[in-house]
Each structure stands twice: as structure tokens, then as C-alpha cells.
């Protein structure tokens, strides 16, 4: 059974299957209701919200991220703020009922370690929103796994290269949870990924491998930023392009420029460039709404203590973010599938095209 969102303002229909996680959008519809084949640029309300319920990381002092070679982009080692209050979360969910398909729970720490995580998942269920989240797996218990099976669409385990990583994956898979691996791709991890992908060397039973491009935000370093001129980048994308894996392989929208430049078998309909302020957004534990969670300086932030989600979504700040995507790389023939890449961090855009022009 698909959930349907009809966007009267921007003339398109979005469909979401809460069981499979399948999501699709029509093109802009003409006056006769026929699909024109032209992708809508934005929605009148977000379809997915990344909700940062964690204000601090209980594992921060142990340095799990650092030991795993991952730089926490939300500076979990340094910042210690309160987790999102359940009352605030409920207020967000109520505004989203019937308008938002999914919540991606996150923030500065493992969402399964929130002191009221089950209540949060219940609130999602009551408001017909499918919750998903990513965890390091360090504190994940069999009880958490059962909870995930009951409420979540999918759970991702960050690839921390440890025994607890494998244990968490096995707990979730054995509980019947759709389980993904989130792999942060940077200069320090690309060799490992090429090797593992070439051998299909990831735990059995996972639904998919989702590759997330490293960003120099928070504790993320510039030295781990990949360059499109690095021959390993082309090798990796071509390996992904060949397919033939026992699990699905996906990439975040930040990686789209690399897909556009190096993949021949990925159909354009499967590519979705940056969705920030177009179809998704982030709300932090401080109730500040941003087009993207990587805007850690809150340059485009709008307080939900002073405004509704709809007001924030239609604000001048969000329009300014959208304008970068609407006007980036206008001379490039590939811009329809790329939109110039990341509006926040132009250095991560995997493109060396001479027509590259990001405002």
C-alpha cells in the first residue's frame, strides 16, 4: 500500500511504500494530468526530515568515531547539549502527519541511546511516519533490535570496523530488520572500499551498502576530502557501475556528481541530486531547522520555536539555499542531474569539468 502526496502547488505526485521504502515522484503534470517528464524542482513541504534527536554522544569520550577513522561532523567529542525533548519531537511529528513520509533520526550520537527512544518511535507510528536511524551499534541490545523490527523501516549501522559493528548487524538481521551499512567514503577509506566491493566482503544478510561522501565539517578533515582527479575515484565508481553484488549499493546525493561523471549504467531516473530545501531538511535538538545537517554554522537556520515547519520551509533563508542549486553550473549539459553539487562545500564536488561554476 503506497502513501500518496499530491502537491497542488508544484503539480506533481509523490508515492511512498512504508513497507519496502520505495519512493517515487512523477514529473510535473500538465493541465490534462499527464506527466511532462520534467522533474519538479521542489515540494511545497518536505517529504523527509532528518531529525537530530541526540544533542550529545554518550560514546564521545571514548572516541569511537576517531578510532574508526570517521570524523564526527557534529563534533560529538566536543559538544555536550541536551537531547531533543519528547515534547518537541511530538510537536514536529504532529505538523508532519500526512505530509512527510519518513523521519531519519540522528543527531550528535546514536539515536538508540536516547533516554526515550521507544516513545519517540511510538510517536512516529501514531503520526503515520516511518522512522529510520543510523547507529554505531556500540550500545545496541536485543531489546533495541526488537523495537526496530516493530517500528522502523530500516536501520543503518555505521562501518566502524569493530566487533560491535558486526554484532549490531547480526542482531538486527536476525531480528528481521531491514539492515544497511553506512560507509563514509574519504581519502582514508577508499582503498578499503574498493577492495571489499571487489570481493563482496560485507556481512551476509544486509539489505544494502550506502556510501556517504566525507565532508570537512565538525571533526571531518580537509585531508580526507576526495578529488575527482584521484584515479581511485573513477575506479570505485566504475566498480559500482558494474553491479553484480549480493546487496544493493547506494550513494548519498552528495556523491551524484561522481555518478554523473563516471557511471554509464545508472539510469537518470535513479539519480537525485541535493534534496536540501527541495524535498528534505534537518531539525536539530535545539529545534533549529536547516536545509541540510551539514550546515553546522546554521547559516540558513530558522527556529521552530518561533516559526512553523511550513514557515521555515518557505522562508527567505531556504530560498537562498535553493537558489544556489537553481543557478549552479548553468552552462553544463549535465546540470539537470547534478545541479552543481553541494551548496555548502564546493570542495567535495567530484567534478573537474571546465564549465563547473558554483555561486
Amino acid at each position: 500500500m503506497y502513501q500518496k502526496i499530491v502537491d497542488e502547488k508544484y503539480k506533481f505526485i509523490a508515492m511512498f511504500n512504508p513497507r519496502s521504502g520505495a519512493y517515487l515522484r512523477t514529473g510535473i503534470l500538465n493541465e490534462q494530468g499527464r506527466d511532462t517528464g520534467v522533474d519538479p524542482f521542489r515540494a511545497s513541504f518536505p517529504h523527509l526530515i532528518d531529525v537530530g534527536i541526540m544533542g550529545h554522544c554518550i560514546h564521545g569520550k571514548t572516541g569511537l568515531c576517531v578510532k574508526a577513522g570517521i570524523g564526527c561532523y557534529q563534533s560529538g567529542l566536543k559538544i555536550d547539549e541536551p537531547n531533543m525533548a519528547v515534547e518537541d519531537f511530538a510537536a514536529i511529528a504532529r505538523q508532519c502527519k500526512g505530509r512527510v513520509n519518513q523521519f531519519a533520526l540522528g543527531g550528535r550520537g546514536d539515536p538508540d541511546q536516547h533516554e526515550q527512544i521507544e516513545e519517540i518511535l511510538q510517536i512516529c507510528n501514531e503520526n503515520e511516519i516511518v522512522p529510520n536511524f543510523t547507529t554505531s551499534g556500540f550500545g545496541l541490545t536485543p531489546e533495541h533490535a526488537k523495537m526496530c523490527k516493530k517500528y522502523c523501516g530500516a536501520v543503518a549501522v555505521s562501518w566502524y570496523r569493530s566487533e560491535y559493528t558486526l554484532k549490531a548487524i547480526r542482531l538486527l538481521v536476525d531480528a528481521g530488520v531491514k539492515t544497511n551499512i553506512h560507509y563514509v567514503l574519504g581519502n582514508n577509506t577508499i582503498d578499503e572500499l574498493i577492495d571489499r566491493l571487489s570481493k563482496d566482503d560485507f556481512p551476509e544478510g544486509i539489505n544494502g551498502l550506502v556510501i556517504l561522501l566525507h565532508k570537512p565539517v565538525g571533526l571531518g578533515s580537509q585531508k580526507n576530502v576526495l578529488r575527482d582527479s584521484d584515479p581511485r575515484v573513477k575506479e570505485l565508481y566504475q566498480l559500482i557501475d558494474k553491479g553484480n553484488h549480493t546487496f544493493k549499493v547506494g550513494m548519498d546525493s552528495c556523491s551524484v556528481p561522481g555518478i554523473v561523471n563516471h557511471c554509464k549504467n545508472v539510469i537518470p531516473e535513479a539519480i537525485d541530486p541535493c534534496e536540501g530545501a527541495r524535498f528534505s531538511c534537518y531539525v536539530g535538538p535545539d529545534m533549529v531547522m536547516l536545509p541540510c545537517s551539514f550546515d553546522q554554522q546554521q547559516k540558513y537556520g530558522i527556529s521552530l520555536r518561533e516559526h512553523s515547519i511550513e514557515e521555515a520551509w518557505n522562508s527567505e533563508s531556504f530560498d537562498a539555499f535553493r537558489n544556489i542549486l537553481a543557478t549552479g553550473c548553468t552552462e553544463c549539459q549535465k546540470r539537470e542531474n547534478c545541479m552543481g553539487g553541494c551548496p555548502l562545500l564546493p570542495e567535495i564536488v567530484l567534478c573537474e569539468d571546465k564549465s563547473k561554476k558554483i555561486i
Side-chain angles (χ1 to χ4, degrees), residues 71-75 214-221 293-297 345:
C72 175
Y73 76 94
Q74 296 217 27
S75 302
H214 169 85
K215 291 91 173 170
V217 177
L219 301 181
S221 65
S293 62
F294 288 97
D295 180 15
Q296 288 293 294
Q297 302 303 313
L345 303 160

Side-chain angles (χ1 to χ4, degrees), residues 169-170 172-174 177-180 202-208 246-247:
I169 292 170
R170 184 48 48 202
L172 292 166
V173 170
D174 288 349
V177 179
K178 184 177 289 186
T179 307
N180 297 320
F202 283 101
E204 291 184 9
I206 64 169
N207 172 67
T246 57
F247 44 80

Side-chain angles (χ1 to χ4, degrees), residues 129-164:
I129 298 165
V130 176
N132 308 294
F133 68 83
T134 305
T135 177
S136 72
F138 186 79
L140 194 81
T141 65
E143 288 70 28
H144 285 129
K146 292 177 183 178
M147 197 186 306
C148 293
K149 174 61 177 175
K150 182 177 180 180
Y151 294 109
C152 295
V155 174
V157 179
S158 297
W159 190 247
Y160 274 26
R161 305 165 177 84
S162 299
E163 281 299 319
Y164 60 80

Side-chain angles (χ1 to χ4, degrees), residues 39-82:
D39 286 342
F41 177 70
R42 58 165 293 190
S44 55
F45 198 84
H47 291 178
L48 181 150
I49 299 182
D50 186 355
V51 187
I53 62 173
M54 300 301 292
H56 61 275
C57 179
I58 65 171
H59 310 311
K61 294 180 181 179
T62 66
L64 290 185
C65 293
V66 175
K67 292 175 183 177
I70 298 170
C72 175
Y73 76 94
Q74 296 217 27
S75 302
L77 279 172
K78 298 179 179 180
I79 301 175
D80 188 358
E81 295 179 351

Side-chain angles (χ1 to χ4, degrees), residues 1-3 16-22 130 132 152-154 178 207:
M1 179 68 69
Y2 276 84
Q3 297 173 350
F16 174 71
N17 187 319
R19 289 191 175 183
S20 69
V130 176
N132 308 294
C152 295
K178 184 177 289 186
N207 172 67

Side-chain angles (χ1 to χ4, degrees), residues 5-10 42-47 49 91-100 277-278 281-283 287 289-290 302-319 322:
I5 296 176
V6 179
D7 198 309
E8 299 287 354
K9 185 174 182 179
Y10 294 104
R42 58 165 293 190
S44 55
F45 198 84
H47 291 178
I49 299 182
I92 294 170
R94 285 194 297 270
Q95 293 181 65
C96 295
K97 185 173 183 178
R99 309 185 76 180
V100 172
R278 300 196 309 121
C281 63
Y282 174 78
V283 179
M287 293 296 281
M289 181 165 142
L290 305 164
I302 301 291
S303 174
L304 294 186
R305 302 204 186 282
E306 301 172 12
H307 301 276
S308 68
I309 292 174
E310 188 156 16
E311 288 171 343
W313 184 254
N314 293 309
S315 66
E316 291 183 2
S317 289
F318 273 58
D319 280 342
R322 293 182 191 107

